[in-house]
Amino acid sequence: MDMPWGSAESGKFVTNVGLITSNGPYGHNVMSAEWTHHVSYSPGLVMVNVGFDKATEANIKKSAVFGVNLAAFDQNIIASISGGSTGKEIDKIAVLKELGVEFYKAKKINVLMVKGAALNAECKLFQAIKLGDHHAFIGEVLTASATDKQPIAYSDGKYWKFGEHVMKPPPEELERIREIVEKHRKK
Ligand SMILES: Cc1cc2nc3c(=O)[nH]c(=O)nc-3n(C[C@H](O)[C@H](O)[C@H](O)COP(=O)(O)O)c2cc1C
């Protein structure tokens, strides 16, 4: 079956918003991708799922590099603009600059990076896999840095800011759980 965008089921997933920067046939560009995932520690790999019709898809296929800028909690407008039009028609970098958003040149690859993001990671294409209706670009992280800002969360088609930290149960309850786990250890 399909699980389309906007369905109740797909809206249950909690994702982050990668501001994916690229440079290629469509010039410097930025798009929003909620399907941005850290998928390996060593080497550090980040996977971004990009629709086949996107300017970003063409850019990454050609240049084999991309920037992952995880939108911070206060970057929802950047996420909406980056996801609201295509770099085939609109110079989104110019739009964002005019709105006061700052970019810097990546150190290891020829793309722009978004200032003030929760995480900036410069990636070299490691593998590309066609997965259903998207192209999964897996990038090897060449250099990365995190800020102390929390990433924005995306769920049910809306942006969210982290709220309360869910506390662990008290020590007695943790001990009871540990005993039950031990009781069911496979011989
Ligand atoms: C919050 C948000 C998350 C999105 N996530 C994705 C995604 O994971 N993959 C994707 O292909 N498109 C996603 N989109 C849609 C693209 O960002 C949108 O189609 C954009 O115009 C593509 O830009 P480009 O053609 O310049 O690459 C998302 C849009 C928004 C607003």
Side-chain angles (χ1 to χ4, degrees):
M1 64 174 274
D2 289 348
M3 216 156 95
W5 184 86
S7 66
E9 292 77 17
S10 63
K12 290 295 171 188
F13 289 88
V14 180
T15 56
N16 40 221
V17 182
L19 301 169
I20 307 304
T21 44
S22 61
N23 185 14
Y26 294 102
H28 283 286
N29 190 35
V30 55
M31 80 166 261
S32 292
E34 59 160 321
W35 287 340
T36 300
H37 308 284
H38 181 196
V39 293
S40 165
Y41 294 120
S42 180
L45 299 177
V46 176
M47 182 170 86
V48 180
N49 271 19
V50 181
F52 296 118
D53 58 335
K54 315 293 177 193
T56 301
E57 202 259 359
N59 272 1
I60 297 176
K61 267 199 314 205
K62 180 78 182 160
S63 66
V65 293
F66 58 94
V68 174
N69 309 266
L70 272 196
F73 68 90
D74 58 354
Q75 293 185 314
N76 56 310
I77 293 168
I78 306 181
S80 292
I81 291 170
S82 303
S85 62
T86 175
K88 292 181 179 178
E89 294 165 1
I90 304 284
D91 184 346
K92 288 181 269 184
I93 302 282
V95 172
L96 291 167
K97 279 185 177 168
E98 188 163 337
L99 288 168
V101 177
E102 292 184 77
F103 294 85
Y104 67 90
K105 281 190 175 164
K107 296 175 194 77
K108 308 237 170 185
I109 58 179
N110 185 21
V111 304
L112 296 170
M113 304 297 284
V114 182
K115 275 196 187 169
L119 163 81
N120 296 103
E122 300 178 19
C123 300
K124 179 181 87 176
L125 192 61
F126 180 82
Q127 206 174 331
I129 308 165
K130 287 183 180 166
L131 280 182
D133 51 14
H134 281 61
H135 214 150
F137 292 118
I138 302 166
E140 181 170 354
V141 178
L142 301 177
T143 181
S145 58
T147 65
D148 56 6
K149 287 167 86 178
Q150 281 197 336
I152 204 164
Y154 189 68
S155 189
D156 194 23
K158 303 179 191 82
Y159 302 108
W160 303 86
K161 190 176 166 182
F162 286 116
E164 249 178 80
H165 169 206
V166 178
M167 300 302 284
K168 281 189 185 172
E172 321 81 74
E173 181 62 3
L174 283 178
E175 179 56 21
R176 197 176 77 86
I177 294 168
R178 200 192 58 76
E179 282 169 14
I180 294 172
V181 171
E182 271 311 309
K183 194 171 87 184
H184 293 282
R185 184 176 289 282
K186 292 179 182 169
K187 303 284 181 250

